[in-house]
Amino acid sequence: MAGAAVLRALRTLHPWTLAGPLGRCSAPVEFLQYPLWRNSPVRTLQLCSSLCAGHNKWSKVKHIKGPKDEARGRMFMKLGMMIRIAVKEGGSNPDLNINLAHLLLQCRNQNMPKASIEAAIKSAEKAKPASQHMFEARGPGGCLLLIEVLTDNHSRSVQEIKRLLNKNGGVLSDGARHNFSKRGVVVVPGQNISTERALELAIEAAAEDVQETEDEEEQPFLRFICDIADLRKVRASLEDVGMQISSAGLEFVPRILLSLDQDQLDAASTLIEALNDCPDVVRVWDNIHADS
């Protein structure tokens, strides 16, 4: 009996023993059934590296890299749809199709893989017939929207566009297109370029107008607007004076801009984002002027 008492005392003083060739920790059965931390005011630490490693990294990937990759994938998908429209309208030879040539430049500037660009052109040549539509709508605060759609199921697209508009404070509205004109637009980075210099560049390039804007990361850009027939000339002129071209192509430019308050601007942004997430939507144009 005395020997048993001594053995129990030793187990209490030294509950852990090393066992097995891998050096893993093991404990007596009674210790496993009644762990020390159940009755002791101590904080337990998880020392297993396979459980802890990469936790913070995954959080960043999930909340930052994931959305960026998703947006990048959507952008490439939209560029592919735009290539499909350009090929449908003017053929697959960029030397003979100026809209496609400018679009391919935009794809390269957005770091779209060459293989993806070539695949988009080939798929455009072999794609099953699809129809192109322009929906006119009115959004929060009375802003006007043009929604360009490429679809092989017109009824499905109409129902989806109506659903998104109704859900986000918009409605189809005939006549919105009259507030837009199709123009050539050349976009260049605007860092360290004054308003006076921007106007000089517009005059030298024979552009009709120049607008200052920002991208989603608040980087400044200049938009040189011109007649469709002058797009190539304006782009070449800006390149000759050392300007880096971010994009060049045809866009619907609003004739009159509309200012919205912050609540209306937030609602309009939500609507436009929802429309852009629709697989059949190629691009959305608006006449919103965000007051600073």
Side-chain angles (χ1 to χ4, degrees):
M1 295 296 292
V6 172
L7 181 59
R8 285 195 296 273
L10 289 174
R11 286 180 175 176
T12 302
L13 291 174
H14 303 284
W16 294 99
T17 59
L18 292 177
L22 298 180
R24 294 183 177 179
C25 295
S26 62
V29 174
E30 59 265 34
F31 187 81
L32 291 174
Q33 291 175 342
Y34 304 101
L36 179 63
W37 57 79
R38 287 191 178 182
N39 300 316
S40 303
V42 296
R43 184 180 64 180
T44 60
L45 297 177
Q46 173 57 265
L47 301 179
C48 178
S49 60
S50 63
L51 293 179
C52 293
H55 175 74
N56 290 333
K57 181 179 179 182
W58 168 242
S59 296
K60 293 179 180 179
V61 168
K62 178 179 179 182
H63 297 293
I64 300 177
K65 187 175 184 298
K68 286 187 176 180
D69 286 347
E70 184 179 350
R72 178 182 171 89
R74 283 200 305 269
M75 178 182 65
F76 288 166
M77 182 185 71
K78 301 297 184 183
L79 287 172
M81 296 173 72
M82 293 162 65
I83 288 175
R84 187 175 173 184
I85 292 174
V87 171
K88 177 183 177 183
E89 293 179 344
S92 59
N93 186 350
D95 294 332
L96 303 176
N97 186 342
I98 185 173
N99 191 27
L100 178 61
H102 291 308
L103 188 55
L104 295 181
L105 172 65
Q106 184 177 347
C107 291
R108 289 190 288 270
N109 289 337
Q110 296 292 343
N111 297 319
M112 186 173 180
K114 182 179 179 180
S116 299
I117 297 175
E118 293 175 350
I121 295 175
K122 290 180 180 179
S123 64
E125 295 174 325
K126 301 177 181 179
K128 60 182 180 180
S131 55
Q132 184 180 357
H133 303 275
M134 190 71 73
F135 292 95
E136 302 169 80
R138 190 176 296 274
C143 65
L144 301 178
L145 305 174
L146 289 185
I147 309 164
E148 185 179 5
V149 169
L150 182 68
T151 179
D152 55 5
N153 189 324
H154 179 63
S155 298
R156 178 196 65 207
S157 297
V158 171
Q159 293 302 318
E160 181 63 10
I161 295 298
K162 285 183 177 179
R163 185 187 70 82
L164 292 172
L165 289 171
N166 293 335
K167 181 180 179 181
N168 295 281
V171 63
L172 291 176
S173 176
D174 292 337
R177 187 166 182 168
H178 296 315
N179 190 54
F180 295 84
S181 60
K182 198 169 187 178
R183 316 300 291 167
V185 178
V186 182
V187 181
V188 302
Q191 290 91 341
N192 302 320
I193 300 179
S194 65
T195 302
E196 291 76 12
R197 179 53 181 158
L199 291 173
E200 291 176 0
L201 289 171
I203 295 172
E204 293 170 2
E208 298 175 354
D209 193 11
V210 59
Q211 299 174 347
E212 297 176 323
T213 185
E214 293 181 345
D215 63 5
E216 295 179 352
E217 297 179 353
E218 297 184 354
Q219 296 299 315
F221 280 86
L222 296 174
R223 289 164 43 89
F224 293 86
I225 301 171
C226 63
D227 188 83
I228 295 176
D230 295 332
L231 179 59
R232 189 190 296 270
K233 181 176 65 177
V234 172
R235 171 185 163 186
S237 177
L238 292 171
E239 288 177 329
D240 289 342
V241 295
M243 302 301 295
Q244 179 185 354
I245 307 300
S246 298
S247 67
L250 305 181
E251 298 185 15
F252 283 93
V253 178
R255 303 178 191 274
I256 301 175
L257 293 173
L258 178 68
S259 296
L260 303 180
D261 62 33
Q262 190 58 50
D263 290 340
Q264 294 170 339
L265 187 61
D266 291 341
S269 298
T270 300
L271 170 58
I272 293 173
E273 183 177 355
L275 290 169
N276 277 317
D277 285 343
C278 178
D280 292 340
V281 173
V282 182
R283 286 171 292 190
V284 179
W285 285 276
D286 65 76
N287 72 330
I288 299 172
H289 174 66
D291 293 326
S292 57

